[in-house]
Amino acid sequence: MSQREWVEKDFYKELGISSSASQDEVKKAYRKLARDLHPDANPGDTKAEERFKAVSEAHAVLSDTAKRKEYDETRKLFAGGGYGRGGFAPGAGGGFSQEFNVGDIFGGANAGDSGLGDLLGGLFNRGGTRTASRPRRGADVETETTLGFREAAQGVTVPLRMTSPSPCTTCHGSGAKPGTSPRVCPICNGTGVVSRNQGAFGFSEPCDECRGSGSIIDDPCADCRGSGIQNRTRTITVRIPPGVGDGQRIRLAGQGEAGLRGAPSGDLYVTVHVSQDKVFGRNGDDLTVVLPVSYSELVLGTTVSVPTLDGRVGVKVPPGTADGRILRVRGRGVPKRDGGAGDLLVTVKVAIPQKLDGDAVEALERYQQAERSSGFDPRAGWAGA
Ligand SMILES: [Zn+2]
Ligand SMILES: [Zn+2]
């Protein structure tokens, strides 16, 4: 069964129970109805047969806690929700997000705003549905963290401390005093909307009785005053994937603010700052490093041990290497998300000694003579300039 069908079917109503009914109540209601409506007990009664099928379908979803949760979330996003805010004003940066990712609901890619309109247009045949069915999903939360260069390159698990609304621990987000549960709004039957007829036209409006939430709390939880939400400081441990760059924003689905009365949570966006490293730089997935070398090492060639993110690697400098040349070591750069890694780019840079002792100076002077007599002219390209 598709989630679209879920939006249109009220399984709770089918079983005659409230949306907060326990698994036991689901089972009991189903057993009774199944007995009453069973085709064997109602031979030839097509209506009873239809009902029996519907009740069985409702039971199949509601008796499975995982399916039930998914069903609840799907329906809360589209139906019954979001007209009123139940008098609840979320904390700093508050306001419920009007935009949401359709992909989160239907499991596809982000269908974008127009896609959402199309979907809703197909689902509901009532005016103004798009704005009216604004979900009560929790707001997205933005936060920042600063990582060391190597942490960012290799991936790291960091604790993030945040204060944001979370499901109330006393009532577990239901908003009802412990031991009680919200009941289905009798005016709108839990849909959050009421229809009014004016002449030839039918209008749907948010239900006044429950302020569009579809349920009524007779005995509000004292700790959250019925909102189902408390401000809480929490520390969550976040796994930052390898290869994240300075200024990049990471989305952690479902780690944002809690939704109202059990609606889905928003997402957490972490903007990552990456501190500089003394040795390494980055160019996308490539790790860059400047390798200081002496003149003689460039001329004669050598092999130098160069640091990498996870150890060291021997880099061969061929004889006659020009100053500033970049030597590439494949696969020793920054790890990529899809496996593999970028390259290590080693730039050779001549270091000039500021002081030499007598022997070295003498040797160098002898070398200079020999260089000239061998015909080497560093400014040969300037001939005629
Ligand atoms: Zn509470
Ligand atoms: Zn209502």
Side-chain angles (χ1 to χ4, degrees):
M1 192 183 340
S2 78
Q3 287 176 308
R4 289 187 187 206
E5 285 176 60
W6 284 7
V7 175
E8 290 158 328
K9 289 182 178 174
D10 190 343
F11 294 149
Y12 293 105
K13 207 171 162 186
E14 212 65 72
L15 293 179
I17 53 178
S18 86
S19 59
S20 56
S22 68
Q23 289 302 102
D24 227 350
E25 289 173 290
V26 169
K27 209 192 291 174
K28 270 188 203 153
Y30 167 67
R31 277 199 190 142
K32 184 178 181 314
L33 286 166
R35 218 171 26 232
D36 293 346
L37 298 166
H38 199 278
D40 289 351
N42 304 275
D45 185 346
T46 50
K47 266 198 172 160
E49 199 186 332
E50 287 291 334
R51 282 276 291 134
F52 180 75
K53 275 184 195 158
V55 163
S56 304
E57 185 186 64
H59 174 254
V61 171
L62 297 185
S63 61
D64 181 330
T65 46
K67 267 191 202 159
R68 180 177 176 179
K69 190 164 176 270
E70 206 182 335
Y71 171 70
D72 286 348
E73 286 174 0
T74 305
R75 276 179 62 83
K76 273 190 177 141
L77 282 177
F78 283 101
Y83 300 110
R85 295 182 181 180
F88 169 73
F96 291 96
S97 173
Q98 267 186 266
E99 307 258 320
F100 63 101
N101 189 342
V102 174
D104 289 344
I105 309 154
F106 289 109
N110 188 348
D113 211 26
S114 59
L116 175 60
D118 292 346
L119 273 173
L120 289 174
L123 287 170
F124 300 97
N125 288 316
R126 36 181 215 232
T129 304
R130 262 204 67 191
T131 46
S133 64
R134 184 173 61 220
R136 295 184 299 163
R137 173 185 179 274
D140 293 339
V141 176
E142 292 273 353
T143 188
E144 295 179 306
T145 188
T146 299
L147 303 180
F149 181 91
R150 288 170 207 228
E151 289 176 331
Q154 293 184 292
V156 65
T157 301
V158 289
L160 292 177
R161 223 174 113 84
M162 289 177 301
T163 301
S164 65
S166 300
C168 172
T169 48
T170 307
C171 62
H172 302 289
S174 77
K177 192 170 158 187
T180 72
S181 19
R183 64 187 161 91
V184 175
C185 173
I187 304 299
C188 63
N189 288 321
T191 59
V193 277
V194 287
S195 303
R196 281 190 221 293
N197 289 315
Q198 286 185 5
F201 298 99
F203 293 94
S204 289
E205 290 177 357
C207 173
D208 282 339
E209 184 74 10
C210 60
R211 281 183 284 189
S213 71
S215 61
I216 288 179
I217 296 169
D218 295 316
D219 255 332
C221 165
D223 289 344
C224 63
R225 286 188 224 149
S227 69
I229 296 199
Q230 276 176 332
N231 256 328
R232 222 169 46 192
T233 299
R234 56 193 175 126
T235 302
I236 62 166
T237 305
V238 170
R239 172 82 196 149
I240 308 281
V244 61
D246 187 35
Q248 208 170 314
R249 208 154 153 265
I250 297 171
R251 173 174 172 267
L252 297 153
Q255 301 272 25
E257 283 181 12
L260 194 58
R261 291 185 201 164
S265 297
D267 297 334
L268 171 64
Y269 289 92
V270 185
T271 301
V272 176
H273 302 289
V274 180
S275 52
Q276 302 258 327
D277 190 79
K278 269 189 269 180
V279 176
F280 297 117
R282 260 180 77 173
N283 186 357
D285 293 327
D286 292 337
L287 190 64
T288 61
V289 64
V290 173
L291 172 64
V293 287
S294 70
Y295 165 77
S296 57
E297 283 175 331
L298 284 187
V299 177
L300 302 174
T302 185
T303 297
V304 187
S305 167
V306 173
T308 65
L309 287 174
D310 55 357
R312 299 184 81 86
V313 64
V315 174
K316 191 166 182 268
V317 181
T321 295
D323 185 35
R325 184 168 156 194
I326 297 168
L327 305 167
R328 184 181 290 267
V329 185
R330 299 216 179 265
R332 296 305 293 268
V334 178
K336 293 181 191 173
R337 246 176 228 214
D338 57 358
D343 299 336
L344 175 67
L345 302 182
V346 181
T347 304
V348 294
K349 184 168 188 270
V350 168
I352 299 297
Q354 299 302 299
K355 258 188 191 167
L356 285 179
D357 66 13
D359 276 359
V361 173
E362 252 175 59
L364 206 51
E365 283 169 351
R366 275 204 309 279
Y367 166 78
Q368 200 172 45
Q369 292 297 329
E371 191 183 58
R372 277 178 191 156
S373 44
S374 78
F376 175 70
D377 176 5
R379 289 170 289 279
W382 280 13

Short mmCIF file of all heavy atoms in Angstrom, two decimals, residues 129-154:
data_model
loop_
_atom_site.label_atom_id
_atom_site.label_comp_id
_atom_site.label_asym_id
_atom_site.label_seq_id
_atom_site.Cartn_x
_atom_site.Cartn_y
_atom_site.Cartn_z
N THR A 129 -5.71 23.96 -0.13
CA THR A 129 -5.10 22.88 0.64
C THR A 129 -3.61 23.10 0.88
O THR A 129 -3.11 22.79 1.93
CB THR A 129 -5.30 21.55 -0.09
OG1 THR A 129 -6.68 21.39 -0.31
CG2 THR A 129 -4.78 20.40 0.74
N ARG A 130 -2.98 23.65 -0.12
CA ARG A 130 -1.52 23.75 -0.01
C ARG A 130 -1.08 24.51 1.22
O ARG A 130 -0.19 24.08 1.94
CB ARG A 130 -0.96 24.43 -1.24
CG ARG A 130 -0.46 23.42 -2.23
CD ARG A 130 0.58 24.00 -3.12
NE ARG A 130 1.78 24.32 -2.39
CZ ARG A 130 2.75 25.03 -2.90
NH1 ARG A 130 2.65 25.51 -4.09
NH2 ARG A 130 3.82 25.26 -2.21
N THR A 131 -1.68 25.65 1.43
CA THR A 131 -1.27 26.40 2.61
C THR A 131 -1.92 25.83 3.86
O THR A 131 -1.33 25.84 4.92
CB THR A 131 -1.63 27.89 2.47
OG1 THR A 131 -2.97 27.94 2.00
CG2 THR A 131 -0.70 28.59 1.52
N ALA A 132 -3.11 25.29 3.70
CA ALA A 132 -3.84 24.84 4.88
C ALA A 132 -3.19 23.62 5.53
O ALA A 132 -3.21 23.48 6.73
CB ALA A 132 -5.27 24.51 4.51
N SER A 133 -2.60 22.77 4.71
CA SER A 133 -2.09 21.54 5.30
C SER A 133 -0.62 21.64 5.69
O SER A 133 0.11 20.69 5.65
CB SER A 133 -2.29 20.38 4.34
OG SER A 133 -1.52 20.61 3.19
N ARG A 134 -0.20 22.82 6.03
CA ARG A 134 1.17 23.01 6.49
C ARG A 134 1.47 22.02 7.63
O ARG A 134 0.71 21.94 8.60
CB ARG A 134 1.32 24.43 7.00
CG ARG A 134 2.73 24.77 7.41
CD ARG A 134 2.81 26.24 7.75
NE ARG A 134 1.93 26.58 8.85
CZ ARG A 134 1.21 27.69 8.91
NH1 ARG A 134 1.22 28.54 7.93
NH2 ARG A 134 0.45 27.94 9.94
N PRO A 135 2.52 21.27 7.51
CA PRO A 135 2.78 20.24 8.52
C PRO A 135 3.29 20.85 9.82
O PRO A 135 3.83 21.95 9.83
CB PRO A 135 3.86 19.40 7.87
CG PRO A 135 4.58 20.33 6.97
CD PRO A 135 3.55 21.31 6.47
N ARG A 136 3.13 20.11 10.88
CA ARG A 136 3.63 20.56 12.16
C ARG A 136 4.96 19.90 12.50
O ARG A 136 5.29 19.69 13.65
CB ARG A 136 2.61 20.26 13.25
CG ARG A 136 1.33 21.05 13.04
CD ARG A 136 0.41 20.78 14.18
NE ARG A 136 0.09 19.36 14.23
CZ ARG A 136 -0.43 18.80 15.31
NH1 ARG A 136 -0.63 19.48 16.40
NH2 ARG A 136 -0.73 17.52 15.28
N ARG A 137 5.66 19.54 11.47
CA ARG A 137 6.97 18.94 11.64
C ARG A 137 7.85 19.91 12.43
O ARG A 137 7.70 21.12 12.33
CB ARG A 137 7.52 18.72 10.23
CG ARG A 137 8.93 18.27 10.12
CD ARG A 137 9.24 18.27 8.61
NE ARG A 137 10.60 17.87 8.34
CZ ARG A 137 11.61 18.72 8.34
NH1 ARG A 137 11.40 19.98 8.58
NH2 ARG A 137 12.83 18.30 8.07
N GLY A 138 8.76 19.38 13.21
CA GLY A 138 9.65 20.23 14.00
C GLY A 138 10.51 21.10 13.10
O GLY A 138 10.75 20.77 11.95
N ALA A 139 10.95 22.23 13.65
CA ALA A 139 11.75 23.15 12.85
C ALA A 139 13.17 22.59 12.66
O ALA A 139 13.65 21.79 13.44
CB ALA A 139 11.83 24.50 13.53
N ASP A 140 13.79 23.04 11.59
CA ASP A 140 15.18 22.69 11.37
C ASP A 140 16.06 23.50 12.32
O ASP A 140 15.71 24.61 12.69
CB ASP A 140 15.59 22.98 9.92
CG ASP A 140 14.86 22.07 8.94
OD1 ASP A 140 14.39 21.01 9.38
OD2 ASP A 140 14.76 22.44 7.77
N VAL A 141 17.15 22.93 12.70
CA VAL A 141 18.07 23.61 13.63
C VAL A 141 19.40 23.80 12.92
O VAL A 141 19.88 22.92 12.23
CB VAL A 141 18.26 22.76 14.91
CG1 VAL A 141 19.29 23.40 15.83
CG2 VAL A 141 16.95 22.57 15.63
N GLU A 142 19.96 25.00 13.11
CA GLU A 142 21.28 25.30 12.53
C GLU A 142 22.29 25.35 13.65
O GLU A 142 22.03 25.93 14.71
CB GLU A 142 21.25 26.68 11.87
CG GLU A 142 20.39 26.78 10.63
CD GLU A 142 21.13 26.40 9.36
OE1 GLU A 142 22.37 26.19 9.42
OE2 GLU A 142 20.48 26.29 8.32
N THR A 143 23.43 24.77 13.44
CA THR A 143 24.49 24.93 14.41
C THR A 143 25.83 24.88 13.69
O THR A 143 25.87 24.65 12.48
CB THR A 143 24.40 23.86 15.53
OG1 THR A 143 25.35 24.17 16.55
CG2 THR A 143 24.67 22.47 15.00
N GLU A 144 26.89 25.18 14.42
CA GLU A 144 28.21 25.24 13.81
C GLU A 144 29.19 24.44 14.64
O GLU A 144 28.99 24.26 15.84
CB GLU A 144 28.73 26.68 13.79
CG GLU A 144 27.91 27.61 12.93
CD GLU A 144 28.47 29.01 12.98
OE1 GLU A 144 28.65 29.56 14.08
OE2 GLU A 144 28.75 29.57 11.91
N THR A 145 30.24 24.01 14.01
CA THR A 145 31.31 23.37 14.76
C THR A 145 32.62 23.61 14.03
O THR A 145 32.64 23.81 12.82
CB THR A 145 31.03 21.85 14.95
OG1 THR A 145 32.00 21.32 15.84
CG2 THR A 145 31.09 21.09 13.64
N THR A 146 33.69 23.67 14.79
CA THR A 146 35.01 23.86 14.20
C THR A 146 35.82 22.59 14.37
O THR A 146 35.91 22.04 15.46
CB THR A 146 35.74 25.05 14.85
OG1 THR A 146 34.96 26.22 14.63
CG2 THR A 146 37.11 25.25 14.23
N LEU A 147 36.35 22.12 13.26
CA LEU A 147 37.12 20.88 13.28
C LEU A 147 38.58 21.17 12.95
O LEU A 147 38.88 22.13 12.23
CB LEU A 147 36.58 19.90 12.24
CG LEU A 147 35.12 19.50 12.33
CD1 LEU A 147 34.80 18.52 11.21
CD2 LEU A 147 34.82 18.87 13.68
N GLY A 148 39.44 20.34 13.47
CA GLY A 148 40.83 20.41 13.06
C GLY A 148 40.95 19.95 11.61
O GLY A 148 40.07 19.24 11.10
N PHE A 149 42.00 20.37 10.94
CA PHE A 149 42.19 20.04 9.54
C PHE A 149 42.15 18.53 9.30
O PHE A 149 41.46 18.04 8.41
CB PHE A 149 43.53 20.61 9.08
CG PHE A 149 43.82 20.36 7.63
CD1 PHE A 149 43.45 21.28 6.67
CD2 PHE A 149 44.45 19.18 7.23
CE1 PHE A 149 43.71 21.04 5.33
CE2 PHE A 149 44.71 18.94 5.89
CZ PHE A 149 44.34 19.87 4.95
N ARG A 150 42.88 17.81 10.13
CA ARG A 150 42.95 16.36 9.93
C ARG A 150 41.64 15.67 10.28
O ARG A 150 41.24 14.69 9.66
CB ARG A 150 44.10 15.78 10.74
CG ARG A 150 45.45 16.17 10.12
CD ARG A 150 46.62 15.82 11.01
NE ARG A 150 47.73 16.73 10.71
CZ ARG A 150 48.98 16.35 10.51
NH1 ARG A 150 49.30 15.08 10.61
NH2 ARG A 150 49.91 17.23 10.23
N GLU A 151 40.95 16.18 11.31
CA GLU A 151 39.65 15.62 11.69
C GLU A 151 38.68 15.74 10.52
O GLU A 151 37.95 14.80 10.19
CB GLU A 151 39.05 16.40 12.86
CG GLU A 151 39.74 16.18 14.18
CD GLU A 151 39.14 17.05 15.28
OE1 GLU A 151 38.64 18.15 14.98
OE2 GLU A 151 39.19 16.61 16.43
N ALA A 152 38.67 16.94 9.91
CA ALA A 152 37.75 17.17 8.79
C ALA A 152 38.09 16.27 7.62
O ALA A 152 37.20 15.72 6.96
CB ALA A 152 37.80 18.63 8.38
N ALA A 153 39.37 16.11 7.36
CA ALA A 153 39.78 15.31 6.21
C ALA A 153 39.47 13.83 6.42
O ALA A 153 39.04 13.13 5.51
CB ALA A 153 41.27 15.50 5.96
N GLN A 154 39.65 13.36 7.65
CA GLN A 154 39.53 11.92 7.89
C GLN A 154 38.18 11.51 8.43
O GLN A 154 37.87 10.33 8.53
CB GLN A 154 40.63 11.48 8.87
CG GLN A 154 42.01 11.59 8.25
CD GLN A 154 43.07 11.07 9.18
OE1 GLN A 154 43.32 11.65 10.22
NE2 GLN A 154 43.66 9.95 8.83
#
